Amino acid sequence: MKNIQTLKGFRDFLPKDKRVRDFVKNTVKETFEIFGFEPIETPTLEYASLLMGKYGDEADKLVYSFEDQGGRKIALRYDQTVPTSRVLSQYQNELPKYFRRYQIQNVFRADKPQKGRFREFTQCDCDIFESDSTIVDAELLTVYYNVYQNLGLKSIKLFINDRNTLMNTITPFATKDVDVFSIIQSIDKLDKLTELAVVKELVTKGLNEADAKEVLKEITSAQMSKSLAQTVQRAVELGVDPESLVFTPTLARGLDYYTGIIFEGKIPEYSGGSVGGGGRYDKLIGELCGRDIKANGFAIGFDRTVEAVIELGLVPEKATTSSQVLVTIFDENLVNDSLRTAKILRNNKIKTEIYPFADKMGKQLKLANQKSIPYVIVIGESEASEKKVQLKKMETGDQNLLTIEDAIIEINKG
Amino acid sequence: MKNIQTLKGFRDFLPKDKRVRDFVKNTVKETFEIFGFEPIETPTLEYASLLMGKYGDEADKLVYSFEDQGGRKIALRYDQTVPTSRVLSQYQNELPKYFRRYQIQNVFRADKPQKGRFREFTQCDCDIFESDSTIVDAELLTVYYNVYQNLGLKSIKLFINDRNTLMNTITPFATKDVDVFSIIQSIDKLDKLTELAVVKELVTKGLNEADAKEVLKEITSAQMSKSLAQTVQRAVELGVDPESLVFTPTLARGLDYYTGIIFEGKIPEYSGGSVGGGGRYDKLIGELCGRDIKANGFAIGFDRTVEAVIELGLVPEKATTSSQVLVTIFDENLVNDSLRTAKILRNNKIKTEIYPFADKMGKQLKLANQKSIPYVIVIGESEASEKKVQLKKMETGDQNLLTIEDAIIEINKG
């Protein structure tokens, strides 16, 4: 085993990273729940036939699929939308109307690993089904916005557009060779390429240059649709800062299944790009599960969001420390005093570790240092007889003889 | 997709179940952290060569393994001990001494599905490495005990034994045909079979009847070893009720890798059997990763624990409700009043859902009923002009005209 490592594109998370990820995940989860979203969980493995042919030919190749011991063709979760469609179909009599579901699980893609792209990663999805109301559209913008407010990423911008406006503008320019979605795919690159480069790409695809320029001109000068304007107004009533909603008529988002509002989140101070987004997809679920269900939803870019929280120094203290205090063992005869002290600390919700034996005191302090445990408690003969503890603050080296009650107050100061 | 269901042995969790599972998982996690355990996460997929040959021939057949797109032989997580052994080996310079780690992830076994046995299930593991101190042994009994105290399953019993005592008693009776572990496997059935039936099984295996009877007699009359007695005394100092620790000289636990204390948890009022357990395994990690590391740890039987919490009616109120309040839409002209109210409720941490449009009020109330949302807010013309809300308690039908502040107080009463 000595030479066995993790597979390329897969990751171990040691405590330091895992704690930050748990903090972000819990904040996402709590925000979703405040907005009335309900959790579901689907299996990691599904029948391959459920997943295949749902994501397009290119994506099919990235689905991890195999035969199980019983000869069934099975596959690993590739996204959360298809399994949720199955759930909507399979349990339609059990689920409430206008179901608001969230789902936070890992997905698997046999993609080429590169910086920031992994083969197993976490998705945080939030969707509302069965309504095309602008209240629903506004709710989704607002919950997304609030996730980032609650993470401390207050400067989040939501770039928004209406896919219908885009379609209506583009349709007259589409040709047999260059269909609407091909044009959308090029438009989608406007956040990375210049207008000139996009025109060039369209021309290469087969559009004539005048049309390519005209379609770009019409798109960039398009106005907000009536429904998008109403969604924005409603999101503001729900608490979104109007400054953080940026109408972007060139925003396309690649996926061809969007049918209304689309949006994408970006954090200006963060270098890693979009932190997720979503939009309305009123036809997709019908195509997937044969039951027509309107839908709007988004996915949080979990890895990038974690990275942004770290990059901008927003990890809260509580997510950076392991134990708050190490209780040392002074000598074998005083073990019980240390154990009883640990019991009281833990009953008071203080994260407490006990050194495993009466090691040299220097070694015990060294462990606290290595683990960045901020406080150490020492109970020697005289402390035990006085029913007190020595509380040492590792950062300053200050040491005080305190009652356990006072030690608890001190430790909670951090 | 209409006919596609979940695979046999795999489960969807709809909101009602998922919320209970989340409650149990969070309680487990918080308890682990209070005891100074640190979280790690390993990938769902590993090189198959890491997992194969580690669990025994029978278990190897239950590992989900396959070839990925790059021709690598890979496998799904089968347990958390082997991946953790890899982590201990791979990151030995980054991990602290006496590492206390916990890991809560799903594992996969291509086992025959039956009542209570699934092919994907959650494991909650807790281990302390690099020490064979009885303080460590006592810590693990105590954290396990506290998980159940915190879940409200106060009557938990921990059946404990010392595998060394058992080995020493059995060894003189082992023969070429019936080795020590074969005898242990039969002894392990004493909680289900009578002594007579176990003697019969041992005789069938090839032991002579006198020896079979004698080994049983010696085991049942064995005394606690010195180290086990010290562990018990220390667990009591750490807060475990002495009544809940039951010395059980016949307890064997099936796995052959235990080297010291072993224990198993049971809830007397719960019908579903053992809710997990563990013990000391000082040799296993050395065998797995070539680095000798003493260890003691346990696994919580997550599914059974969830079942026990439900069976004994211990699911707390907060884990049973979705939204606390539904804000209705009285008519299209009053949408903003409803949206602003929802904003204030959410800012006050109240789980709030908004009806998607100005539907008939009866239908809106029906949704609250269907989702068991305890309160509904209605804001009509007169409420809006008075800056008040009608708060309706669904259970009693009581309706009151309140300021939003008073409504919040009322809703928080539940």
Side-chain angles (χ1 to χ4, degrees), chain A residues 125-161:
Chain A
D125 286 11
C126 218
D127 297 82
I128 302 180
F129 301 104
E130 291 187 272
S131 166
D132 60 3
S133 150
T134 54
I135 293 180
V136 162
D137 291 356
E139 281 274 86
L140 285 159
L141 292 179
T142 310
V143 62
Y144 183 90
Y145 171 83
N146 272 273
V147 163
Y148 289 91
Q149 299 306 302
N150 292 342
L151 286 169
L153 294 160
K154 310 248 180 217
S155 63
I156 182 86
K157 297 276 183 217
L158 278 63
F159 297 90
I160 57 172
N161 195 16

Side-chain angles (χ1 to χ4, degrees), chain A residues 14 42 61 145 236 264 330 343 374 379 385 392 394 400:
Chain A
L14 300 189
T42 64
K61 291 181 201 150
Y145 171 83
V236 171
E264 211 162 272
F330 193 79
K343 177 181 75 175
I379 306 165
S385 66
K392 187 182 174 78
M394 294 303 285
N400 288 297

Side-chain angles (χ1 to χ4, degrees), chain A residues 12-13 18-19 22 29 34 38 41 44 63 69 86 91 120 133 139 237 340 346 352 356, chain B residues 12-13 18-19 22 29 34 38 41 44 63 69 86 91 120 133 139 237 340 346 352 356:
Chain A
D12 291 315
F13 298 107
K18 176 66 176 154
R19 269 191 291 264
D22 282 354
K29 191 175 157 64
I34 287 293
E38 303 192 77
E41 188 180 319
T44 303
V63 174
Q69 282 79 339
R86 177 184 55 69
Y91 308 95
E120 175 174 15
S133 150
E139 281 274 86
E237 294 293 348
R340 280 193 292 266
R346 288 164 175 167
T352 305
Chain B
D12 291 315
F13 298 106
K18 177 67 176 150
R19 270 193 290 265
D22 281 354
K29 191 175 156 66
I34 287 293
E38 303 193 79
E41 188 179 318
T44 303
V63 174
Q69 283 81 339
R86 177 184 55 67
Y91 308 96
E120 176 174 15
S133 150
E139 282 276 85
E237 294 293 348
R340 280 194 292 268
R346 288 164 175 166
T352 305

Side-chain angles (χ1 to χ4, degrees), chain A residues 19-229:
Chain A
R19 269 191 291 264
V20 179
R21 293 173 73 84
D22 282 354
F23 157 71
V24 173
K25 193 166 154 182
N26 284 340
T27 305
V28 168
K29 191 175 157 64
E30 279 167 21
T31 310
F32 287 176
E33 293 192 350
I34 287 293
F35 279 76
F37 288 82
E38 303 192 77
I40 69 163
E41 188 180 319
T42 64
T44 303
L45 292 167
E46 298 266 9
Y47 280 104
S49 56
L50 177 76
L51 311 190
M52 291 311 200
K54 301 299 192 303
Y55 306 105
D57 290 347
E58 278 310 301
D60 272 4
K61 291 181 201 150
L62 307 183
V63 174
Y64 281 99
S65 65
F66 61 103
E67 263 189 27
D68 74 2
Q69 282 79 339
R72 282 167 291 259
K73 287 197 172 128
I74 62 178
L76 271 80
R77 190 167 45 240
Y78 178 86
D79 80 344
Q80 301 186 123
T81 303
V82 169
T84 290
S85 301
R86 177 184 55 69
V87 166
L88 291 173
S89 163
Q90 195 169 332
Y91 308 95
Q92 51 185 289
N93 300 322
E94 291 168 57
L95 295 172
K97 213 162 159 63
Y98 313 120
F99 185 37
R100 300 174 169 228
R101 87 92 174 74
Y102 76 84
Q103 195 168 353
I104 305 177
Q105 294 189 264
N106 285 0
V107 299
F108 303 85
R109 296 183 187 177
D111 218 336
K112 208 179 155 171
Q114 55 186 60
K115 193 187 172 311
R117 188 188 289 167
F118 304 99
R119 290 180 162 171
E120 175 174 15
F121 58 96
T122 303
Q123 280 196 335
C124 310
D125 286 11
C126 218
D127 297 82
I128 302 180
F129 301 104
E130 291 187 272
S131 166
D132 60 3
S133 150
T134 54
I135 293 180
V136 162
D137 291 356
E139 281 274 86
L140 285 159
L141 292 179
T142 310
V143 62
Y144 183 90
Y145 171 83
N146 272 273
V147 163
Y148 289 91
Q149 299 306 302
N150 292 342
L151 286 169
L153 294 160
K154 310 248 180 217
S155 63
I156 182 86
K157 297 276 183 217
L158 278 63
F159 297 90
I160 57 172
N161 195 16
D162 186 331
R163 188 67 168 264
N164 287 329
T165 313
L166 199 66
M167 293 286 276
N168 292 341
T169 312
I170 292 172
T171 303
F173 295 92
T175 66
K176 208 167 52 106
D177 298 328
V178 195
D179 69 7
V180 176
F181 291 110
S182 178
I183 298 177
I184 284 182
Q185 270 163 13
S186 296
I187 299 297
D188 204 25
K189 297 182 181 162
L190 274 171
D191 60 340
K192 286 175 194 122
L193 300 180
T194 62
E195 286 195 21
L196 211 67
V198 171
V199 166
K200 209 172 152 188
E201 181 174 301
L202 287 168
V203 170
T204 311
K205 280 183 175 174
L207 219 60
N208 75 61
E209 195 175 334
D211 276 4
K213 282 181 175 167
E214 181 59 22
V215 73
L216 263 193
K217 195 180 136 201
E218 287 191 21
I219 289 168
T220 46
S221 62
Q223 299 296 304
M224 253 201 256
S225 66
K226 216 175 116 190
S227 72
L228 188 59

Side-chain angles (χ1 to χ4, degrees), chain A residues 157-161 244-248 251 262-266:
Chain A
K157 297 276 183 217
L158 278 63
F159 297 90
I160 57 172
N161 195 16
S244 60
L245 294 171
V246 185
F247 173 57
T248 311
L251 178 74
I262 46 178
F263 78 96
E264 211 162 272
K266 275 184 194 159

